[in-house]
Amino acid sequence: MTETPTTADIDLIQKVIPHRYPFLLVDRVSDIVASKSAIGLKNVTMNEPQFTGHFPAAPIFPGVMQIEALAQTASVLVGLSLDLVGKNALVYFMGVDKCKFRRKVVPGDQLLLKVEALRGGGKVWKFKGEASVDGETACECEFMAMIDVPKE
């Protein structure tokens, strides 16, 4: 296994997870500590398709998309930790617990996505996640996911 990178730009992110526009919700991942933690960044922009309906007169980044952005950050952490670059791994949600939303996220915000592995190493992982804007918590939760790597 190669050494786990400590950062991932958009090119590396797309080699690790299958998500693409309009559902790729993390722009960069940094502070990666293999199998332990990472910090993602999502730049929220007005030209994203969800804002045409959520809500046209008062655009708000949906809470479920905040959870998804946390999960994508965790997927990059796991993919890099397990050396899954270019291996077409898929990650499936298994559960979300203890979820709270604390502030609105709007176009122009930068969403900081902190994830910490509570349990993992194999196929099933559990994480604690916190999404924040300017130091204010927007969303916090725990979530579980399963990694599926196609057989070669």
Side-chain angles (χ1 to χ4, degrees):
M1 184 165 158
T2 61
E3 187 174 319
T4 302
T6 57
T7 62
D9 62 9
I10 196 67
D11 184 53
L12 182 54
I13 289 167
Q14 290 183 94
K15 290 176 183 173
V16 177
I17 63 175
H19 305 78
R20 297 296 182 266
Y21 179 84
F23 212 68
L24 179 57
L25 301 176
V26 61
D27 297 314
R28 183 175 61 218
V29 181
S30 64
D31 300 305
I32 300 167
V33 179
S35 300
K36 293 187 182 189
S37 63
I39 299 174
L41 179 68
K42 162 71 177 140
N43 293 302
V44 181
T45 62
M46 186 60 195
N47 63 339
E48 295 177 53
Q50 66 272 10
F51 295 126
T52 59
H54 198 268
F55 301 100
I60 298 171
F61 192 67
V64 294
M65 293 181 85
Q66 293 175 50
I67 297 168
E68 176 65 25
L70 286 164
Q72 288 182 20
T73 300
S75 297
V76 171
L77 168 64
V78 171
L80 292 175
S81 298
L82 299 179
D83 197 22
L84 299 177
V85 176
K87 296 194 177 157
N88 300 317
L90 295 174
V91 182
Y92 301 105
F93 261 126
M94 294 178 66
V96 178
D97 296 306
K98 301 178 185 175
C99 188
K100 302 276 186 204
F101 298 101
R102 307 282 185 197
R103 86 181 290 284
K104 291 187 290 187
V105 177
V106 298
D109 285 344
Q110 277 196 332
L111 200 56
L112 196 67
L113 305 155
K114 295 181 184 178
V115 295
E116 175 188 349
L118 300 176
R119 185 175 69 237
K123 280 189 147 196
V124 177
W125 291 67
K126 184 173 183 177
F127 297 92
K128 178 179 180 181
E130 179 187 348
S132 63
V133 176
D134 296 329
E136 289 183 62
T137 300
C139 171
E140 56 191 346
C141 63
E142 291 182 1
F143 55 95
M144 289 179 58
M146 182 184 80
I147 314 304
D148 183 26
V149 182
K151 295 195 182 354
E152 294 182 18

